[in-house]
Amino acid sequence: MSERPARPTKLPLGLLLALPVLVTVGALIVVPYVNIVIMSFRTPSTTRPYAPGFTIDNYARALTDSFYLELLGDTVRLAVMITALCLVIAYPAAYHLARTTSRWRGVLYALVLSPLLVGVVIRSFGWIILLANNGLINQMLRALELPALPLMYNEFGVVLALVHVFLPFMVLPLMGAIQGIDPRLEEAARSLGASRTKVFRRVVLPLSMPGVQSGCILVFVLSCGAYVTPALLGAGRVHTLTTEVVTMLDQFLWPRGAALALILASAGLIAVWLWAHFSGRTMRGLA
Amino acid sequence: MTRLSIEALEKRFDAVRAIAGIDMEVAQGEFVALLGPSGCGKTTTLRCIAGFESPSAGTICFDGDDVTGLPPEKRDIGMVFQNYALFPHMTVNGNLAFGLEMRDIAAGEVQRRIAEVLGLVQLDGLGERYPRQLSGGQQQRVALARALVIHPKLLLLDEPLANLDAKLRDEMRFFIRGLQKRIGITAIYVTHDQAEAMVMSDRIVVMFDGIIHQLGTAEDVYDRPATRAVASFIGLSNFFEGTFSGQVGVHYGLDTALGRIGCGAGFALTPGQKATAMIRPEAIGLASAVPNGAAAFQGTVAERYFLGNLADYRIKMADGSVLQVQQPATASFAPGAVVHVILPADRAWLVRERAP
């Protein structure tokens, strides 16, 4: 009888392959999130990260104080506005990019991605140079003896800058979805008597809904969580839940900040779920 | 029922001329096939008729009304696409109702028309299915029904059978042709399959490189091809190059390397002119003895292939050329046998080298 060397018990290959991802996700996402959840139930203290003992007071305050509720409302309203603007602006561009056979396609594609090529702080300062009260645009207006416009330190500037940077996140999923629609479906619809508008409403839009759905979710979630742009372009005059969370952290009220952050995350999740549910229904309804 | 007239139609894509000088008249209720290899311009012609391409020059008229400038949705056409192009997010009923809704037809009438057309294409009871739940053949029939339910002026079909397997394709040829005759709709059918074109159409338009080489019945294009390209594309052919020697009785003479061949012609030639004659493999006769009263050329059987109903021969001729000959499989000549080849003058035909 031949003696076989005992094989060492080994991990399944699949698990081995997934290990780096599991470790990274675990260390960088799961652990911090768990920590945030625990933190949100701790007793706040102004002199150190938290005082001993646990409480639900952080949530109770946030959910009963009209200040925070209004802030949550503002944050969601801004995110919805940004998402809607992105959708309206991105759709024609995505359609064109998906259908064009032009040799400029690569250039157009790069242009769509261009907002992401500049870091958030530099991009924000770029906007400040343009939009400030004595910025480029207002200087030109004054030179033409026109009244200056309030372009930043308000929601307008924040929405403008966020729409700009989130556009690629809307264009790309839309483009993917539209590319998946056979152009002959549009021709078939037209041969059956549908005008361009009706072709869009009855064929292209319903079939691109998966792209609309994912693009909107991406932009909405990113908008809810945006901090640097509202902070720099709002300059303390545009308040969202994220800026408020950071204010709390500055004041050493970590447990309060954690609770607010989790409330925002939950509100975002609920909004995304509602949207996915609603748009899925529309998708079937439009057909 | 609509009459289609196309005059001097031309379409350029940048510098490339896709079609040029397309002239044709399609009578009411006629079934016309546009036949040719890929890139010959048949699909471009169809897309111009549909309105998806706007021609660079020329006019297209439905019943004498110029539609050249109209968008597809104003042309009242029914179109069947190669991949069917059924709306995947709509049921069969939804697909069929689409064109009727665009015409603001009342709901009751829509239901009646859908039921009628589903019966016509033998898909009763499948109205609630989605396209992905149907077989290829069923999808094909839904596409046909969707084009017909709007009662269009013209039925345009772009290689509709190309994606079906051979057996189903064969059935669908007769199905589509039968349906078209029953409804009496004028139809234009694009295909690269010569058998399909011959079986289905009243007339065939044979196109190469953007121009029409021949417009005629299946018999015309098969027995009396206008050009060498038509003869080679449709069926099998033997070609003889030679010098035209003028009229000999009811036929014409062509002096070839083999000797003088009698043939017919559809265009005028002058004696001494270079010309080409073609003859189909099954039109050539083979005999073991010198036949009486017919011109025969001696040759040797080089190869013989058994095709079931036919035997396919390669006959090596005195001048070194090889003829393809098909005979009923009952008569048999063994390879190496000396045979007499008969080229009947009423089956040989002079072809042009280029389109007229």
Side-chain angles (χ1 to χ4, degrees), chain A residues 118-136 152-153 157 161 164 228-235:
Chain A
V118 182
V120 59
V121 176
I122 298 179
R123 195 175 47 242
S124 298
F125 277 113
W127 278 114
I128 291 173
I129 293 170
L130 283 175
L131 303 179
N133 287 346
N134 53 359
L136 261 176
M152 61 174 274
Y153 315 115
H164 169 239
V228 176
T229 306
L232 288 178
L233 283 158

Side-chain angles (χ1 to χ4, degrees), chain B residues 206-229:
Chain B
V206 191
M207 296 179 69
F208 295 96
D209 294 327
I211 55 175
I212 295 181
H213 275 226
Q214 189 166 12
L215 202 171
T217 61
E219 287 83 359
D220 286 337
V221 295
Y222 190 78
D223 293 333
R224 297 174 289 279
T227 65
R228 184 195 270 259

Side-chain angles (χ1 to χ4, degrees), chain B residues 1 13 64 70 78 80 100 159 161 181 188 191 197 201 209 218 229 264 288 309 311 314 323 326 339 343 348-349 352:
Chain B
M1 284 224 265
F13 293 104
L70 288 184
V80 180
L100 300 173
E159 308 227 15
L161 305 183
K181 268 190 178 155
I188 312 290
T191 180
S201 2
D209 294 327
S288 42
N309 55 339
R314 300 292 180 280
L323 295 186
Q326 289 185 341
V339 289
L343 304 173
W349 188 254
R352 294 174 196 262

Side-chain angles (χ1 to χ4, degrees), chain A residues 126-169:
Chain A
W127 278 114
I128 291 173
I129 293 170
L130 283 175
L131 303 179
N133 287 346
N134 53 359
L136 261 176
I137 292 174
N138 277 325
Q139 280 177 22
M140 285 200 299
L141 288 176
R142 278 194 208 97
L144 295 168
E145 302 199 340
L146 292 165
L149 295 171
L151 298 174
M152 61 174 274
Y153 315 115
N154 56 21
E155 283 187 0
F156 174 84
V158 173
V159 168
L160 179 66
L162 287 180
V163 166
H164 169 239
V165 69
F166 293 153
L167 264 180
F169 296 99

Side-chain angles (χ1 to χ4, degrees), chain A residues 140-202:
Chain A
M140 285 200 299
L141 288 176
R142 278 194 208 97
L144 295 168
E145 302 199 340
L146 292 165
L149 295 171
L151 298 174
M152 61 174 274
Y153 315 115
N154 56 21
E155 283 187 0
F156 174 84
V158 173
V159 168
L160 179 66
L162 287 180
V163 166
H164 169 239
V165 69
F166 293 153
L167 264 180
F169 296 99
M170 189 63 94
V171 172
L172 295 183
L174 278 177
M175 198 176 88
I178 295 168
Q179 265 169 344
I181 304 173
D182 182 356
R184 268 172 291 198
L185 293 179
E186 294 172 53
E187 291 185 350
R190 294 195 74 195
S191 77
L192 291 167
S195 62
R196 283 176 190 280
T197 326
K198 288 216 171 107
V199 172
F200 176 74
R201 218 167 45 81
R202 297 284 308 269

Side-chain angles (χ1 to χ4, degrees), chain B residues 21 24 66 138 146 173 208 228 248 261 263 331 334:
Chain B
M24 64 168 123
D66 190 340
Q138 290 170 329
R146 186 179 65 176
R173 284 176 187 167
F208 295 96
R228 184 195 270 259
V248 183
I261 298 174
C263 48

